[in-house]
Amino acid sequence: MKRNHTIMQFFEWHVEPDGKHWNRLSELAPELKAVGIDAVWVPPVTKAITNNDTGYGVYDLYDLGEFDQKGSVRTKYGTKDELVKAIATCQQNGILVYVDLVMNHKAGADETERFEVIEVDPNNRTEEISEPFEIEGWTKFTFPGRGNTYSPFKWNWKHFNGTDYDNKEGRNGIFRIHAENKQWAENVDDEFGNYDYLMFANIDYSHLDVRQEMLEWGKWLVDTLQCGGYRLDAIKHINHDFVREFATAMKKKRGEDFYIVGEFWKDELQACQEFLNTVDYKIDLFDVSLHYKLYEASHAGNSFDLTTIFHDTLVGSHPLNAVTFVDNHDSQPNEALESWVEDWFKPSAYALILLRKDGYPVVFYGDYYGIGGEHPIEGKKDQLDPLLCARYNKAYGEQEDYFDHPNTIGWVRLGVPEIERSGCAVVISNGDNGEKRMNVGEDRAGEVWVDLTGNREEQITIEEDGFAVFPVNGGSVSVWAQPDVDIEPGEEIPADLICGQQEGEHFGLEEQA
């Protein structure tokens, strides 16, 4: 039987810009596999405007840390050779690699050009606030360090439909390029009237040469890296028809198993559903709606009704297309979409994405290993490892919910015969100490269960009818399950025999199906 699959987002905004991140991934791959991670989402691999840039200020899509451009050969994360090695090492450890693609804009042009624009209202990009006038824009990309290697395509103003800086006057604005067949893309998010433009020089996907170049680049990249999938950045700003075209082409190139997930940052469920329809379900989406529910719950405390946590979420309506997450690089403190889930609720939030049957969950590097920068946040590896262990070894089988109290909810997974000792009972409280009487099956009668998180020290014996009362501390989570060895009530059990850590091995180290 296939084990549960789990992604780690293997970066946060303040990863040390020392050029050693790909080497860190190589070193940590066995450890990640050992805790049940079998896919990693890595940051943009392409050359950005500086070697300190996180990768979203993308300059040259064909430079993976191979050419001396923008001040260095390497990117923030390392060289091309180190990247290729890291991906191969992950694959040797049974870990897929999903590469982050930035296809909405380009930055750090090599030369300026003069062309006509019309300035638009930043709060309503469909409203023109000037007559056509000429600016000097940074839109010419010649890639002097790479030349024609891999692609002879050179970008100029005709390949974009907007920019944000007039070098001639030294001023910022949102400038729509004024020329024949130059408009904002229509099939994009309608925030600010039209949200085609986000930043830098905005790529024009109505231009046939642009579409062809980006499709060829996508195929080249997957051939070069042999990765297992893509994460598409900022797709609500990209012509949705091109997103479908791109995903279709990549799956045709690599097969239907090639995985693609998109960042469609909308907490309106209907908009996400409409997008999935538009792209013919060729990609999955991050469940932004659930993220904001978790964020709200963490800030509202016991005034939040936990029974509603999955209402109006993508995982609730489209479980097969939802990639669930607690936080990421954009939602972390001081970043563009800051909406940080408070520390006290973080383990409960992760239980809600890791231990249920629906969704493809992501563990955030910043939550697991910590966040750097001027305001560091300590990692929660010790709190998350028991939940990862429970996901890999216990969270299988039929799911029954006990969402019957606004401050204390629970569910059980009944387990499957193919995975010995699988099955668990999860209880979450956002108020006082609580408990849930739940049924884990008559066949479990007499088994002694323990709290894998260590938050509760007592042991629970399953009653003859399969029921038991499972307690939880206030503002906390407990995950009750059968330990790895049979014990009598009250018998001491070594910590390394509680979940998937039999002598001489770590859980998850065997090959996943």
Side-chain angles (χ1 to χ4, degrees):
M1 161 172 191
K2 289 184 179 180
R3 295 276 184 159
N4 288 326
H5 298 301
T6 309
I7 307 170
M8 173 174 279
Q9 178 185 350
F10 195 77
F11 67 104
E12 55 95 10
W13 205 262
H14 302 295
V15 162
E16 193 70 29
D18 55 8
K20 298 179 180 178
H21 197 59
W22 301 142
N23 291 339
R24 281 191 284 271
L25 178 55
S26 292
E27 294 165 6
L28 289 172
E31 176 184 308
L32 295 175
K33 180 65 173 183
V35 296
I37 301 295
D38 62 354
V40 290
W41 152 27
V42 297
V45 300
T46 49
K47 184 64 62 70
I49 50 178
T50 74
N51 62 15
N52 293 327
D53 187 274
T54 307
Y56 296 97
V58 61
Y59 164 67
D60 185 356
L61 294 171
Y62 287 95
D63 185 353
L64 309 182
E66 182 180 7
F67 303 98
D68 189 357
Q69 299 186 116
K70 297 302 173 184
S72 70
V73 172
R74 70 166 177 88
T75 67
K76 175 179 180 178
Y77 307 108
T79 66
K80 177 184 177 181
D81 288 344
E82 290 163 344
L83 169 63
V84 171
K85 177 187 174 184
I87 293 174
T89 302
C90 284
Q91 292 168 341
Q92 291 161 10
N93 283 274
I95 298 174
L96 295 169
V97 176
Y98 305 149
V99 174
D100 202 326
L101 305 193
V102 183
M103 301 194 295
N104 182 67
H105 50 261
K106 293 182 72 65
D110 299 299
E111 300 174 27
T112 60
E113 300 176 285
R114 290 179 177 267
F115 47 88
E116 277 200 342
V117 300
I118 295 175
E119 189 169 3
V120 300
D121 184 341
N123 296 312
N124 180 6
R125 282 82 181 279
T126 64
E127 183 179 340
E128 300 176 357
I129 59 174
S130 79
E131 295 297 319
F133 65 99
E134 186 180 78
I135 70 167
E136 181 186 343
W138 288 95
T139 51
K140 191 169 184 179
F141 294 79
T142 60
F143 313 119
R146 175 173 62 84
N148 292 330
T149 305
Y150 305 130
S151 170
F153 192 87
K154 302 293 185 282
W155 296 73
N156 61 58
W157 68 267
K158 296 178 182 179
H159 302 126
F160 305 101
N161 61 6
T163 188
D164 61 357
Y165 184 71
D166 178 6
N167 193 63
K168 183 169 68 172
E169 299 294 332
R171 75 180 186 94
N172 295 94
I174 297 183
F175 307 113
R176 194 188 78 236
I177 295 176
H178 178 64
E180 187 177 2
N181 299 321
K182 285 291 180 191
Q183 293 292 335
W184 300 131
E186 293 185 0
N187 201 6
V188 295
D189 187 64
D190 60 5
E191 192 175 348
F192 300 120
N194 178 293
Y195 216 172
D196 182 13
Y197 186 83
L198 179 62
M199 62 179 69
F200 300 120
N202 195 71
I203 294 176
D204 182 4
Y205 281 104
S206 70
H207 197 297
L208 180 61
D209 292 346
V210 167
R211 292 204 306 275
Q212 188 60 36
E213 171 67 6
M214 295 302 286
L215 291 171
E216 290 304 314
W217 168 72
K219 297 172 188 177
W220 169 85
L221 186 67
V222 73
D223 279 347
T224 300
L225 297 180
Q226 296 295 306
C227 55
Y230 286 151
R231 181 262 187 187
L232 308 184
D233 181 59
I235 54 176
K236 74 179 184 181
H237 308 282
I238 299 174
N239 186 312
H240 302 344
D241 292 328
F242 177 76
V243 175
R244 181 181 62 242
E245 182 182 3
F246 184 85
T248 300
M250 295 310 108
K251 288 178 177 288
K252 183 178 180 181
K253 172 73 173 175
R254 300 296 294 185
E256 286 299 316
D257 289 340
F258 188 77
Y259 185 73
I260 304 177
V261 58
E263 182 217 16
F264 188 78
W265 196 270
K266 297 281 284 187
D267 60 356
E268 300 165 12
L269 182 59
Q270 184 178 349
C272 297
Q273 294 167 332
E274 291 173 355
F275 182 87
L276 286 171
N277 286 330
T278 299
V279 300
D280 295 335
Y281 294 85
K282 294 292 185 183
I283 71 173
D284 290 347
L285 295 180
F286 290 101
D287 194 346
V288 177
S289 300
L290 178 60
H291 161 71
Y292 279 112
K293 286 270 192 173
L294 300 173
Y295 168 74
E296 181 186 351
S298 79
H299 287 263
N302 63 7
S303 66
F304 185 90
D305 183 351
L306 286 175
T307 66
T308 68
I309 195 74
F310 291 110
H311 291 184
D312 300 318
T313 63
L314 193 62
V315 74
S317 69
H318 288 70
L320 298 180
N321 301 99
V323 174
T324 52
F325 68 103
V326 175
D327 271 307
N328 68 17
H329 62 296
D330 283 324
S331 71
Q332 71 182 69
N334 305 308
E335 298 310 326
L337 301 169
E338 180 177 350
S339 44
W340 187 244
V341 174
E342 292 291 309
D343 282 359
W344 74 271
F345 192 69
K346 214 114 207 188
S348 297
Y350 272 102
L352 286 162
I353 71 168
L354 290 172
L355 302 182
R356 296 180 62 79
K357 64 182 177 64
D358 293 328
Y360 188 8
V362 182
V363 175
F364 178 41
Y365 183 100
D367 284 331
Y368 196 77
Y369 291 115
I371 285 175
E374 294 181 7
H375 306 285
I377 298 176
E378 191 173 347
K380 300 169 181 64
K381 182 179 188 300
D382 290 344
Q383 292 175 282
L384 298 183
D385 275 347
L387 301 176
L388 286 166
C389 180
R391 175 170 177 80
Y392 189 83
N393 291 290
K394 307 296 185 182
Y396 297 93
E398 187 179 343
Q399 177 176 291
E400 295 181 1
D401 289 339
Y402 294 78
F403 283 32
D404 51 8
H405 189 283
N407 300 123
T408 308
I409 60 171
W411 67 91
V412 298
R413 302 294 302 276
L414 297 181
V416 291
E418 298 94 326
I419 299 179
E420 187 179 358
R421 300 176 185 273
S422 60
C424 61
V426 185
V427 194
I428 292 174
S429 167
N430 69 353
D432 299 330
N433 290 356
E435 61 183 30
K436 275 281 177 280
R437 179 172 168 79
M438 301 188 291
N439 192 324
V440 296
E442 292 183 7
D443 58 322
R444 316 305 292 260
E447 290 182 357
V448 177
W449 285 27
V450 299
D451 180 5
L452 305 186
T453 70
N455 292 330
R456 302 285 299 207
E457 295 182 355
E458 65 263 55
Q459 299 172 356
I460 292 175
T461 302
I462 308 302
E463 301 165 12
E464 289 185 7
D465 59 0
F467 277 89
V469 176
F470 299 98
V472 63
N473 294 333
S476 182
V477 59
S478 286
V479 181
W480 298 93
Q482 190 181 15
D484 286 348
V485 293
D486 292 328
I487 58 173
E488 296 297 324
E491 180 183 349
E492 290 288 332
I493 176 172
D496 62 349
L497 295 180
I498 290 178
C499 178
Q501 302 228 352
Q502 283 98 7
E503 184 177 355
E505 65 177 345
H506 288 85
F507 71 87
L509 208 53
E510 70 272 21
E511 183 62 33
Q512 286 182 283

